[in-house]
């Protein structure tokens, strides 16, 4: 028999950075609404409780990456995962959000019923003894804040001959305390943020570490410490010092990203110049740090205190830019003819793009997941044809949190309009004649391999409001303030009359 359902106004899926921020915004703006945060695992922190590889850290400055309503309180600029997880826990406890989290609650299916004007969530509840119980929750709204990649599988990558390797093959996504690089010859395959984080950490204990990249990435060094708040607090109350720091960081990031996007040649010269200054004399910067793409067409990699560049001064660390011919029993044979001897290969080859945690979500029986690639996204936070359902992701080319925050605030505007007007549901909608004329673009325009490979599974944008997925905080906030939530939205009222 199906268990008796629990009824809530709002369900937030995921207790990571986006989920806790969403819970704060709901709790603050909609205090009269009942809500719960469902977290599949038994720990808070999302990404920052999941990844375990050496040196794992954020690649954004914590002054912006932290919550706007409870700023990062430490001077370390690009914090390790454990520090971020502890910070999220502290913020949740301080606001009482921790009491709203249901750990071990994995949503396995969700169904919207137009007849009920409600979502029905089917949840597997894992008890502390490992047994699993079934639960049903009825919810007016569901806010999906579980990120954009799969925890269960990485990006499928073909590495010729990898089955021949006699050593250890590890993907960073499945790293645990049993994996050790000490004294080993290590090859990291990849050139993204994970590889850039791994190399300096592994170089401290490995016999040798080589980052094998098919093509280079742009890498920028940031100060390892942020002393602006400490300085400003000498003259201002701590609250004001943190607010000023947040704004100056947001302004600088917005201007810097705009500069790189609008003046890519100058941006390329700037990034390569700063890399050249930090690398050993004679290092081939043109070969190893000169990507084929322009800045921010893929995510810019950041390193604290230039740790990545400093590691390349060590005799046991290097970069090789080449392609793999085949993996042998003892290493990797490159197309140039060079062989990289290895005891361990780390495949830092990318994430598998997966929205809604892969949950089988349906609207009156129609699958959302199966049609995700054909649906437009509304103002970065709702999917075409999916009622009373939010999708919270942050920026992928800039700092994550400001994007996630502006999107949940946009959702709350929709909910408040429903409350004011008496609407039971809000569904992004495009008239067929209008839809036929809209451009069809991927929601995320980065040309990173893992993003390009997901274009058929990724919602679409038209590049015009409201069918956009903003990547600029200033533009998104302006849209939040000035846009009409009725644009591109169909509301259903108690008498089932659509407007």
């Amino acid at each position: 028999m199906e268990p008796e359902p629990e009824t809530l106004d709002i369900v937030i899926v995921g207790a990571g950075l986006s989920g806790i921020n969403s819970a704060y915004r709901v709790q603050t703006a909609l205090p009269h609404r009942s809500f719960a945060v469902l977290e599949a695992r038994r720990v808070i922190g999302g990404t920052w409780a999941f990844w375990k590889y050496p040196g794992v850290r954020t690649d954004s400055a914590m002054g912006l990456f932290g919550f706007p309503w409870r700023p990062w309180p430490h001077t370390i600029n690009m914090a390790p995962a454990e520090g971020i997880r502890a910070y999220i826990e502290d913020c949740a406890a301080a606001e009482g959000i921790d009491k709203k989290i249901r750990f071990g609650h994995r949503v396995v299916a969700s169904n919207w019923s137009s007849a009920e004007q409600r979502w029905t969530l089917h949840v597997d509840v894992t008890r502390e003894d490992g047994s699993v119980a079934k639960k049903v929750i009825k919810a007016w709204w569901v806010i999906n804040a579980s990120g954009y990649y799969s925890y269960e599988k990485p990006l499928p990558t073909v590495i010729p001959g990898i089955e021949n390797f006699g050593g250890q093959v590890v993907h960073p996504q499945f790293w645990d305390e049993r994996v050790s690089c000490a004294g080993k010859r290590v090859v990291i395959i990849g050139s993204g943020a994970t590889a850039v984080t791994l190399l300096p950490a592994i170089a401290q204990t490995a016999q040798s570490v080589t980052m094998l990249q098919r093509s280079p990435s742009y890498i920028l060094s940031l100060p390892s410490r942020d002393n602006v708040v400490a300085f400003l607090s000498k003259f201002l109350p701590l609250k004001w010092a943190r607010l000023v720091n947040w704004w100056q960081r947001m302004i600088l990031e917005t201007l810097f990203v705009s500069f790189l996007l609008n003046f890519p040649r100058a941006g390329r010269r700037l990034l390569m110049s700063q890399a050249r200054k930090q690398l050993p004399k004679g290092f081939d910067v043109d070969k190893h740090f000169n990507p084929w793409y322009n800045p921010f067409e893929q995510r810019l990699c950041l390193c604290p205190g230039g740790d990545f560049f400093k590691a390349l001064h060590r005799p046991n660390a290097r970069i090789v830019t080449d392609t793999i011919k085949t993996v042998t029993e003892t290493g990797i044979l490159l197309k140039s003819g060079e062989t990289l001897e290895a005891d361990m290969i780390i495949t830092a080859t990318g994430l598998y793009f997966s929205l809604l945690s892969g949950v089988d979500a349906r609207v009156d029986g129609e699958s959302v997941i199966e049609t995700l690639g054909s649906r437009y996204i509304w103002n970065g936070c709702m999917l075409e044809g999916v009622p009373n359902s939010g999708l919270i992701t942050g920026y992928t080319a800039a700092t994550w949190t400001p994007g996630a925050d502006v999107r949940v605030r946009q959702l709350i505007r929709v909910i408040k309009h429903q409350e004011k007007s008496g609407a039971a549901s809000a569904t992004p909608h495009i008239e067929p004649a209008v839809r036929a004329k809209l451009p069809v673009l991927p929601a995320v325009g980065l040309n990173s391999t893992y993003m390009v490979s997901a274009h058929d599974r990724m919602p679409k944008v038209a590049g015009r409001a409201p069918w956009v997925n903003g990547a600029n905080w200033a533009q998104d906030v302006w849209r939040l303030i000035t846009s009409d939530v009725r644009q591109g939205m169909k509301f259903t009222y108690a008498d089932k009359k659509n407007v």
Side-chain angles (χ1 to χ4, degrees):
M1 292 179 62
E2 190 172 272
E4 189 70 22
E6 177 185 7
T7 300
L8 293 166
D9 290 325
I10 300 170
V11 166
I12 298 167
V13 181
L17 199 75
S18 302
I20 299 304
N21 185 67
S22 297
Y24 174 82
R25 293 300 184 192
V26 166
Q27 180 173 275
T28 304
L30 304 166
H32 53 289
R33 291 292 180 181
S34 62
F35 78 94
V37 180
L38 306 186
E39 170 55 49
R41 303 169 71 220
R42 303 205 67 84
V43 63
I44 201 171
T47 288
W48 306 108
F50 176 72
W51 294 93
K52 304 295 183 184
Y53 63 82
V56 58
R57 54 163 174 78
T58 178
D59 61 348
S60 298
M62 290 303 301
L64 280 183
F65 194 73
F67 298 121
W69 40 272
R70 195 175 181 86
W72 174 249
H74 310 294
T75 59
I76 187 168
N77 200 24
M78 297 172 69
E82 181 60 29
I84 300 171
R85 186 190 63 77
Y87 162 72
I88 297 172
E89 284 185 340
D90 290 344
C91 292
E95 299 295 335
I97 296 168
D98 57 336
K99 297 178 177 61
K100 298 287 188 178
I101 302 173
R102 315 275 184 88
F103 291 109
H105 281 56
R106 180 183 298 275
V107 179
V108 294
S110 59
N111 299 280
W112 169 265
S113 168
S114 294
E116 293 184 43
Q117 295 289 292
R118 286 289 184 276
W119 285 97
T120 299
L121 307 182
H122 296 269
V123 183
D124 282 353
V125 181
T126 303
R127 304 186 182 99
E128 291 190 11
D129 64 2
S131 62
V132 178
K134 301 293 183 180
K135 189 172 187 177
V136 176
I137 299 175
K138 299 277 188 178
W140 182 46
W141 261 83
V142 175
I143 299 176
N144 298 281
S146 54
Y148 68 95
Y149 71 91
S150 169
Y151 281 13
E152 284 72 36
K153 63 178 180 179
L155 177 72
T157 304
V158 176
I159 301 175
I162 192 68
E163 68 280 358
N164 300 324
F165 187 57
Q168 188 175 14
V169 179
V170 184
H171 194 286
Q173 192 161 330
F174 307 116
W175 202 287
D176 61 37
E177 64 277 359
R178 295 169 294 179
V179 180
S180 173
C181 301
K184 296 178 180 178
R185 297 167 299 174
V186 181
V187 176
I188 304 167
I189 300 176
S191 60
T194 302
V196 169
T197 301
L198 277 166
L199 183 137
I202 291 175
Q204 296 177 27
T205 60
Q207 177 182 329
S208 66
V209 55
T210 301
M211 189 174 96
L212 173 60
Q213 57 181 17
R214 184 174 53 189
S215 59
S217 296
Y218 294 107
I219 303 174
L220 176 68
S221 176
L222 288 184
S224 58
R225 296 281 171 181
D226 180 2
N227 295 312
V228 173
V229 172
F231 173 76
L232 290 175
S233 62
K234 296 178 181 179
F235 314 101
L236 298 169
L238 183 59
K239 180 179 179 180
W240 285 101
R242 288 172 173 169
L243 181 63
V244 170
N245 185 47
W246 190 92
W247 275 103
Q248 67 93 14
R249 284 198 168 276
M250 176 54 71
I251 291 169
L252 287 175
E253 179 176 284
T254 301
L255 291 175
F256 182 65
V257 172
S258 297
F259 166 73
L260 292 182
L261 289 174
N262 289 296
F263 303 98
R265 290 185 180 179
R268 180 188 294 268
R269 288 195 299 269
L270 173 66
L271 293 170
M272 291 180 64
S273 173
Q274 69 88 34
R276 186 174 285 108
K277 291 176 183 177
Q278 298 177 77
L279 288 163
K281 187 175 180 180
F283 195 96
D284 194 341
V285 176
D286 286 332
K287 180 177 182 179
H288 301 302
F289 290 90
N290 187 17
W292 57 268
Y293 55 88
N294 287 326
F296 279 112
E297 288 180 358
Q298 295 186 20
R299 185 173 176 85
L300 176 68
C301 296
L302 302 176
C303 62
D307 67 347
F308 180 81
F309 300 111
K310 289 175 182 176
L312 294 174
H313 285 264
R314 302 175 63 114
N316 68 333
R318 64 170 178 155
I319 296 179
V320 173
T321 303
D322 207 331
T323 52
I324 298 172
K325 183 175 182 180
T326 188
V327 178
T328 68
E329 184 178 355
T330 59
I332 300 175
L333 175 63
L334 304 176
K335 289 191 176 178
S336 64
E338 182 182 1
T339 296
L340 304 178
E341 298 294 334
D343 305 306
M344 176 187 290
I345 294 174
I346 301 174
T347 54
T349 48
L351 305 170
Y352 183 78
F353 184 91
S354 177
L355 290 177
L356 309 178
S357 300
V359 171
D360 182 21
R362 293 180 176 272
V363 176
D364 293 327
E366 180 185 1
S367 172
V368 175
I369 289 292
E370 291 176 5
T371 57
L372 197 59
S374 63
R375 296 176 187 267
Y376 281 87
I377 195 164
W378 182 89
N379 282 327
C381 65
M382 292 183 73
L383 293 171
E384 175 198 1
V386 185
N388 288 16
S389 178
L391 178 64
I392 305 301
T393 57
Y395 297 137
T396 51
T399 302
W400 177 273
T401 315
D405 186 55
V406 75
R407 283 160 185 163
V408 74
R409 290 164 61 195
Q410 184 72 267
L411 281 184
I412 289 171
R413 285 191 68 215
V414 176
I415 295 173
K416 285 188 170 183
H417 178 81
Q418 287 180 257
E419 291 182 330
K420 185 177 180 180
S421 66
S425 65
T427 309
H429 175 75
I430 311 173
E431 292 296 337
V434 174
R435 198 179 198 283
K437 298 177 181 178
L438 288 179
V440 182
L441 305 169
V444 181
L446 300 182
N447 59 24
S448 307
T449 301
Y450 76 102
M451 286 295 183
V452 172
S453 67
H455 280 180
D456 62 333
R457 295 176 281 112
M458 186 183 294
K460 300 302 183 283
V461 295
R464 65 183 72 159
W467 312 109
V468 294
N469 188 41
N472 180 290
W473 183 81
Q475 292 176 353
D476 283 349
V477 169
W478 179 252
R479 189 179 301 115
L480 172 70
I481 295 170
T482 62
S483 65
D484 185 343
V485 296
R486 296 172 297 180
Q487 184 184 10
M489 191 73 72
K490 179 184 286 186
F491 294 96
T492 300
Y493 296 85
D495 61 359
K496 305 299 187 292
K497 179 182 176 182
N498 297 334
V499 178

